[in-house]
Amino acid sequence: MIAQAALAYVDTLREELIALRRDFHKHPEVLFEVDRTAEKVADYLSEWGLQVQRHVGKHFGKGVVGILTSDKPGQTIVLRADMDALAITEENTFAYRSKSEGAMHACGHDAHMTMLLGAAKALSRHRDIWSGTIKFVFQAAEESALPSPIDGRMISGGRDMIEAGVLDGVDLCFALHVWPELPAGVVGIHRKEAMAASSHFHIAFQGLNGHHSTPHLAVDALSMAVQFVSDVKFALAVETDPWETKVFAFGTLHAGTAINAIAGESKLSGTYRVFHPDLTAQIHQLLEKRADAVASTYGGTYTSQYRLGTPLLNDAEAVQLTVRAGRIALGDDKVVILDKPSLAGEDFALYVQEVPGAFAFIGIANPLSEKVHPLHHPLFDIDEEVLTEGAKLFVQWVQQAGEEYVRQ
């Protein structure tokens, strides 16, 4: 009954959580530029009596961690949410649409923060339902990575937090993601493979600028980029196992500054997504080999930068704990096992690589709504009734882990 009181308390937060989510939605911040968002999160956690660590992160220092410690011994659990938005111009017209031109919460991170804040408030108020320590981790830059100002490596928000020690002494970790492919309020979870290893690459070719009338005196970097695209597509078709699941796409290509000048530099970027580390490494080597061959053939050079992805693999026991927690918090008919993993990437994969944990999806598709837009769409929105449902799952994850720790 004590646990039920905490879940019932979450229901009383409905209007507060909707207001929180709409404020985050109006003020999106991308990658590591999350100063306003992080300050808001830290202030809420501090107001509710949590020990708050600000500016967390070895490389960029934009994360927030709120800590609650019980008088009763138990496990240390990480509950994680992401704070960053996307560089997308919002096309919604409602009052809480983005006020930042060219930025939008099109992946639901505003909802993830809100759900975790709701759980933090409930668990800080109902300290008698759990034991051990809870770390509420709010990270920047889940969507992508930037070169570290320390060592130049491509660093995402999860990597930044982990290298700062947020997983030290942690026994379990959990996170969730809103999902337009599930009915609102339904929790889905994969038995093992949940999301792919999403690897990012940036390739730049250096040639020599010249006039169109004297191509023999120049090295055409634009042509190098075009050749590279063609070569890579062919190599992927004939050099990798066709039975291995993979998707590969170039996302950007920039070259040239004038209509009548040969480009001296070109830049490409893109991603590829797979489930097996060996294939991640194979495609990385393929990109390097083809870039080197193209640069040598044309008489130019190239530079490259990568963030190699990690597949998100759920822990079997954490999955079963999630199923039990979801059924208690939301109802027996509100939890489903998902058989088909997503080829999208998530840097929560870095957390479960280090610590047993599970990543769940919570549906946001309202059957009464005329349109349900996919993630990263300029008209993306959520059914806000799921905010309390997600907060309840976070609360019950903690409660369930505490009960099972005691039984052991």
Side-chain angles (χ1 to χ4, degrees), residues 227-238 248-250 286:
Q227 184 71 50
F228 177 70
V229 170
S230 177
D231 287 359
V232 167
K233 290 287 190 178
F234 178 78
L236 286 169
V238 301
F248 181 101
F250 289 96
L286 181 152

Side-chain angles (χ1 to χ4, degrees), residues 172-189:
L172 284 168
C173 60
F174 298 99
L176 54 73
H177 201 298
V178 295
W179 207 242
E181 298 175 24
L182 288 171
V186 171
V187 170
I189 190 163

Side-chain angles (χ1 to χ4, degrees), residues 298-317:
Y298 279 78
T301 59
Y302 83 97
T303 57
S304 59
Q305 199 166 38
Y306 298 86
R307 187 198 76 176
L308 298 182
T310 302
L312 202 167
L313 306 177
N314 287 331
D315 174 78
E317 292 185 11

Side-chain angles (χ1 to χ4, degrees), residues 160-180:
D160 201 25
M161 300 295 277
I162 291 168
E163 292 192 7
V166 296
L167 294 181
D168 292 352
V170 172
D171 299 292
L172 284 168
C173 60
F174 298 99
L176 54 73
H177 201 298
V178 295
W179 207 242

Side-chain angles (χ1 to χ4, degrees), residues 6 49 51 56 73 107 133 141 164 172 186 202 206 217 221 223 242 246 263 271 288 292 304 355 378:
Q51 175 190 343
V56 181
C107 199
T133 299
L172 284 168
V186 171
H202 302 264
Q206 296 81 38
L217 301 179
S223 293
K246 57 185 174 295
T271 71
E288 285 291 290
D292 182 66
S304 59
V355 173

